[in-house]
Amino acid sequence: MAKSAFLARRLTPSGCIIAGTKLTAHREALKSKKIKLSAKVEAAAQSVIAATEAIEALGSTDASMVEIDRGADRCIGAFNSQLDGIERAFDHYGILPLTEDEAARRGDALLVRSEVLSSGIDFVRLVHSQQWVRMSAMIKALERKDVKAAVERLGLSAEAGRLRRWTELYGQKLGVTEAKSADPAIKAVEAWHEAHGTLMVQVHAEYDDDKDETHALLRDRLLSPYEDAADEARRAEQRARTAGARKKAQPAEPEPI
């Protein structure tokens, strides 16, 4: 079992760097106080420090999962709005009958929506892993011959292509697609989390006596950098969700007459 599985949450590359830098500072402070770590804990700490340096060396500009999720959500929402706009353009056909071309265009929009977004787009509010499953099903539907032809007739091939690319990036960031192994930045972040998972296991194994003040100090100094970064990541995601919910709750602009 990978040691990274013991961590509460994954950090962005910048989060790893911040946590690793703080760990380095705490390690130096312990040295200055002549506090010696056990061999296993020292080795684990050095592995995290080395993994941090590896991420810094890459100079990664890898977007955070929050940013990728936001971009994917906007693309999905825009695609849905385009289909909705086409359908509304040919509404009230009981009053004004559709021409053959108009009926065909409306039919194409209905077909794409029924196959690709049959349940709407509320799935963008799901947790990332569940949203990716729904996005993958969406892309699979877009590959169907009749749906693909309808998308082309509607002139939405570019938008459909971008949906595919967002889905690929989403899967890479989550680590559920093969492309993950080809990205050195993502590999470096994976190595960092595995190193820190090992450090956490070793620290709790060596310093688990709650009555020993030194043990408590070492647990705090060695593990708090990651815990602080994880808490900040959690707060950032909450702020993003709150902002998104607030934006969705705002009254929609009146439709043009």
Side-chain angles (χ1 to χ4, degrees):
M1 180 179 181
K3 298 296 191 297
S4 58
F6 294 106
L7 299 178
R9 70 170 42 228
R10 297 181 59 78
L11 303 179
T12 63
S14 60
C16 294
I17 291 172
I18 291 171
T21 301
K22 286 184 178 179
L23 174 64
T24 302
H26 288 181
R27 179 68 194 91
E28 291 303 315
L30 291 172
K31 280 185 178 180
S32 68
K33 294 179 180 179
K34 309 298 183 182
I35 298 178
K36 186 176 181 179
L37 301 177
S38 71
K40 289 183 178 180
V41 171
E42 176 64 29
Q46 291 301 328
S47 292
V48 175
I49 292 170
T52 303
E53 292 173 349
I55 295 176
E56 288 180 311
L58 284 171
S60 174
T61 57
D62 185 36
S64 72
M65 191 65 226
V66 172
E67 293 167 329
I68 292 173
D69 181 61
R70 186 179 298 120
D73 290 355
R74 285 177 63 83
C75 189
I76 293 167
F79 191 73
N80 180 67
S81 294
Q82 287 172 301
L83 293 173
D84 182 61
I86 293 170
E87 292 175 30
R88 286 191 294 107
F90 302 113
D91 203 354
H92 292 82
Y93 49 84
I95 300 173
L96 181 64
L98 300 174
T99 66
E100 185 176 336
D101 288 343
E102 290 170 346
R105 185 165 176 78
R106 180 175 182 275
D108 282 339
L110 289 171
L111 170 64
V112 175
R113 184 193 293 279
S114 66
E115 296 298 328
V116 180
L117 297 170
S118 59
S119 301
I121 62 171
D122 284 346
F123 66 86
V124 300
R125 297 189 179 93
L126 298 174
V127 298
H128 297 150
S129 58
Q130 293 176 7
Q131 177 170 332
W132 182 80
V133 171
R134 298 289 292 273
M135 289 170 68
S136 297
M138 177 182 69
I139 298 307
K140 186 176 181 180
L142 281 170
E143 295 299 328
R144 281 185 43 184
K145 188 176 180 180
D146 56 343
V147 176
K148 190 172 184 179
V151 167
E152 290 175 355
R153 288 193 296 269
L154 291 169
L156 297 177
S157 295
E159 289 80 358
R162 192 157 178 81
L163 284 175
R164 292 186 187 92
R165 291 169 58 206
W166 273 119
T167 302
E168 290 171 1
L169 181 58
Y170 212 97
Q172 289 175 28
K173 186 64 176 180
L174 287 177
V176 294
T177 60
E178 293 181 358
K180 163 182 165 285
S181 62
D183 188 330
I186 296 179
K187 289 179 68 175
V189 172
E190 288 290 331
W192 189 95
H193 284 87
E194 183 63 19
H196 206 289
T198 299
L199 174 63
M200 186 179 72
V201 170
Q202 294 296 345
V203 167
H204 282 294
E206 299 282 343
Y207 309 122
D208 64 345
D209 188 348
D210 292 332
K211 296 180 180 180
D212 189 314
E213 292 184 1
T214 300
H215 281 208
L217 171 67
L218 290 175
R219 288 200 304 272
D220 176 73
R221 296 291 83 188
L222 296 171
L223 301 182
S224 65
Y226 164 80
E227 293 168 355
D228 291 345
D231 286 341
E232 176 54 33
R234 190 178 296 108
R235 287 191 292 270
E237 290 182 4
Q238 181 59 52
R239 288 194 295 270
R241 286 194 294 268
T242 300
R246 187 180 298 116
K247 185 175 181 180
K248 290 177 181 178
Q250 291 177 350
E253 295 182 3
E255 297 179 3
I257 298 175

